[in-house]
Structures are given as structure tokens and as C-alpha cells.
Amino acid sequence: VPALTTEPRFAQRLRKHLEEEQLLDGRYRLQEVSGDLVALPVLEEKLSQLQLPREMSCELVQIQVGRDPSPQALLWGGKVSACHVPSLAQDPVPSRAARRRTPAQKLRDELRRLLGESWSPELESDMPHAWQRHGDLILLSEDSFRATPWEKLGPVLWETVASALGVRRLARRGRVLPDGMRSPSVTLLLGQDGWVEHVDNGIRYSFDVTKCMFSPGNITEKLRVASLPCSGEVLVDLYAGIGYFTLPYLVHAAATFAHACEWNDHAVEALQRNLVLNGVQDRCWVHHGDSRQLELRDVADRVNLGLIPSSEEGWPVACRILKKDTGGVLHIHHNVETFPALAPPQTPVLRAEQGSPEGAGSDGEAQHPMEGSGKETLGARIRPEWQRWAENTAARIRGLLAELHGQRWHTSILHIEPVKSYAPHVHHLVLDLECRPALP
């Protein structure tokens, strides 16, 4: 498996970059190569597209992975600096791995052989240039294999593609359905069912790709959630899905108990499977239905509102289910529009003032640069639009809590986390908002 090695202090930033560029091989976890280096597996078929921030120096290596996910041997390596990593075919180190065709090259060659004289540059451009691999199933992009000549090949096309990419099943994504549940429009092209298993940070996620969405771009937030100190706490996840955030809270953050709310039948089925797969089914109660109708109140130390573009409809519910005597923390997801930055790169970091009970606080965390899907660099600072959104949200939540409980509450901004660029100038953010009742 090809991987990039770097110092542990750069690991989170490198992982964010690889995830946003869809280059990280999600089948394997971050590996410790030695006491001062870690390795992040990357997709072999995309090595030629791999680009890194100029100031980050990495080493490109091949690791052998067995049942134990730790690397067993470094097969080859080449020092990489500046911003470009060469493809395997260009790497100067002589090895069988470097001379092997990438899956994308193998796929192109097999299809050219299959079509013979019918092959054309237009057909090559209609081939998939990116895909998601889930075990023995590959999920193709929606714009692949749409030309008429492909359709004439029938089942032999999908058998050829599967063989070239080394899998047994194929599916092709479509547009997300506007049904309020973000249901995927996915067609199974080869195979009997779409159930797959994905391992993220040691957590097993099982789901049907034709029925449920999986968001690999949220890996940085799942890692952050996993590191939160939640021992002794009760969590309520208002939009649980298949357990994207519920599971990290239970497995790694050590939440004592979780209430997981989800209204999509297929997601609920996957969630219940995943709780069992990860051995935490006894610490979670699944509420199947509309979270706006949730009858819980006064139970939560922490509430996760992981819905975009906005979780506003869940705010009154979140305020009601916080413990009325001690309060807790809300993790509020939202898509915020950001205007193109006019300031020079040396613009100082903008942080909320700490300690203001009615305003904003800061946990002092640095915002690491990351690349979004729109190739727009977020930069190492909290942007003014993000700050204004966070302050307005804190004020509105404070008003909801006062109205609900008949007393004053304090809200404090603990942290603003940029997850990813959702669209040009639109960023998926998470606000960690501490909410406490005012002392009499």
C-alpha cells in the first residue's frame, strides 16, 4: 500500500488535505512507522494527482499491511519536498511496485482492448477518474460510462471494470434525492447487494451504499469528536444517520450513554448493526423518528446537531434536552458563506474573546490550513463571517434557553471548526457552544 510518512505534528493537517482531495485510502488507519514518523495510506490510482503544501516535507513509501494493520516492511521510498509527489511510474527507485500499472491505467488498457477500433478519446474522457472503494465494492462517479457505446457492451462492461479494479461489485452514484433524508440515488451495476463495511479510526461502519450516504469528507470532525473528553456524559445525537458521530462519541470519547435520533429506515437499520459491530449497543438508545418530535428533556450533557446546510430546526429541541440545572455543550453544524479574502496572507488570527459569559470564548486551538472541494484555501484564521455567525447563533440559543426555562443563561463560544469547503465560498463549520444557567 503506498503511503506518505510525516512527523506526528503534521499528521492531522496532512490527513485533512488528503481527505479533502479524496486521496486518502480509507481502508487503512494512520500507521506508526517509528517513534517519530507516521504513515498515511494513499490511493495508488491517484498518486499522479498528489500535491502537498509547499512547506510540508514527506516521504513516499510502500507499506505491507497484513491482518495486523501495523506496517510490516518499508519496500521502497523517495524523499518528497516542495509540492509535488511523482507517480509510481515516474519514481526513480527500481522496484516491482514502481513498475506496476496503477488500477486506472489497467482499467484504461482493458477497456481499449475490449472496444478495439471503437475506442476514442471521447470514450476515455467518459471513464471514471475517481471512485470510492468499500471492500470488494467500488462506487463510481455519476458522470462515468454515460456514452452510448458503453451501454451496448451490457454486463461484460461491468465485469471488465470490476476485474481491472480488483473488486466483485460495482455501483454508480447519482444525485442526492430531495426527500429530506439525503437519500442517495445509487445504481448497483454488478453484484447482489450494496452492503459494505468501512473502517474509520478503528470504528466499523456497515451500510448499504444504495440506501445510505457515507461522508468521507467529515473524517476530520469525526477524529476531533473522538478526542473530546466525554467520560460520564450523556450525549444526544439529533441526526445520527448510520452513526457517523454517535460511534466516535461512544467508542473513543467514552460517553457514558447516547440517545441517537434518526428517521431514515435504512440508516436506522445500519446504525443498529454498527452499534453491535462496535460493541456499544448497551450504551445507546435509538429513537426512530423525527427528532423534532423527540420527547426527551433535561437529560443531555452534550448535543450533536450534525445537519447541513443548517440544523436550526433542531435548536429548540437541543435547548429542551440539555440538563436544566447544569447545562452542557452544543455542537452546531452549519454552512456559512464566506466572501473571498482581500487581506494579505499575514492577516493575524482572529479569535473570540475568552471569558465573556455573554459573548465568545476560545479554547486556543490553532486552525490548520486545509483544502476544500472547491480548491479554496481556508487559511489559518477564523474569518469574520464565521465569527459573526457564531456570535449570532450564541445569542439566539441564549434567547431560546431563557424563554424555555424562564431564567437567564450564559452561552460561550468554545471553538469554531472548519470541516470542509462545501461549495465555492461556502464552508461547513461546527460551533462548540457552551450553555450554562445563570446563578441566582
Side-chain angles (χ1 to χ4, degrees), residues 70-348:
S70 61
Q72 298 170 342
L74 296 180
L75 302 181
W76 57 271
K79 196 66 178 178
V80 179
S81 58
C83 63
H84 183 64
V85 178
S87 68
L88 287 174
Q90 298 169 324
D91 194 272
V93 181
S95 68
R96 293 179 62 187
R99 294 193 298 269
R100 188 175 61 225
R101 288 182 301 169
T102 67
Q105 291 168 335
K106 185 176 181 181
L107 175 60
R108 182 194 60 200
D109 293 345
E110 291 296 318
L111 291 176
R112 289 187 68 170
R113 180 191 59 78
L114 181 65
L115 285 169
E117 295 181 357
S118 299
W119 182 258
S120 68
E122 289 74 21
L123 287 178
E124 183 167 358
S125 67
D126 197 41
M127 284 176 49
H129 300 287
W131 52 78
Q132 288 182 13
R133 183 185 295 267
H134 300 285
D136 71 341
L137 183 146
I138 276 183
L139 182 60
L140 301 170
S141 56
E142 63 180 285
D143 57 351
S144 58
F145 298 120
R146 293 296 187 182
T148 302
W150 298 123
E151 298 176 0
K152 293 180 179 179
L153 292 175
V156 69
L157 169 63
W158 309 127
E159 292 168 3
T160 302
V161 173
S163 175
L165 298 181
V167 294
R168 296 181 178 180
R169 295 180 293 164
L170 288 176
R172 182 170 54 196
R173 67 168 71 253
R175 296 188 179 278
V176 176
L177 298 177
D179 58 359
M181 299 186 187
R182 290 187 58 78
S183 300
S185 174
V186 174
T187 303
L188 192 65
L189 305 171
L190 183 67
Q192 298 302 312
D193 67 79
W195 279 94
V196 299
E197 184 171 307
H198 186 84
V199 179
D200 241 5
N201 195 24
I203 297 174
R204 298 169 66 185
Y205 296 90
S206 178
F207 59 101
D208 186 339
V209 295
T210 68
K211 302 292 196 309
C212 300
M213 292 286 292
F214 188 80
S215 305
N218 290 339
I219 180 63
T220 56
E221 180 61 10
K222 285 184 278 189
L223 289 171
R224 191 178 76 91
V225 161
S227 69
L228 294 174
C230 300
S231 178
E233 293 187 351
V234 173
L235 163 79
V236 176
D237 191 350
L238 286 181
Y239 311 101
I242 68 171
Y244 304 107
F245 299 114
T246 305
L247 290 169
Y249 274 114
L250 289 170
V251 174
H252 294 309
T256 298
F257 195 83
H259 293 272
C261 311
E262 178 55 46
W263 66 357
N264 185 313
D265 297 346
H266 304 294
V268 168
E269 181 183 2
L271 173 60
Q272 290 170 335
R273 281 194 186 199
N274 294 333
L275 291 169
V276 174
L277 278 174
N278 292 279
V280 293
Q281 67 273 22
D282 294 334
R283 292 162 48 210
C284 184
W285 183 0
V286 177
H287 299 262
H288 187 179
D290 190 337
S291 61
R292 291 170 295 188
Q293 308 301 321
L294 190 64
E295 295 184 357
L296 292 176
R297 61 178 61 242
D298 188 24
V299 298
D301 300 289
R302 195 176 294 265
V303 182
N304 196 72
L305 297 109
L307 181 66
I308 54 174
S310 174
S311 60
E312 285 189 45
E313 288 192 348
W315 294 0
V317 180
C319 291
R320 186 182 72 238
I321 59 183
L322 277 179
K323 290 182 177 177
K324 63 181 182 181
D325 294 331
T326 56
V329 177
L330 306 182
H331 299 280
I332 303 172
H333 292 237
H334 198 84
N335 281 353
V336 177
E337 185 173 1
T338 307
F339 301 105
L342 300 177
Q346 63 267 26
T347 301

Side-chain angles (χ1 to χ4, degrees), residues 393-415:
T393 299
R396 291 182 58 189
I397 293 292
R398 190 164 59 246
L400 285 171
L401 287 164
E403 180 181 351
L404 181 65
H405 297 289
Q407 67 176 93
R408 286 196 316 120
W409 280 63
H410 299 314
T411 54
S412 179
I413 297 171
L414 300 178
H415 182 67

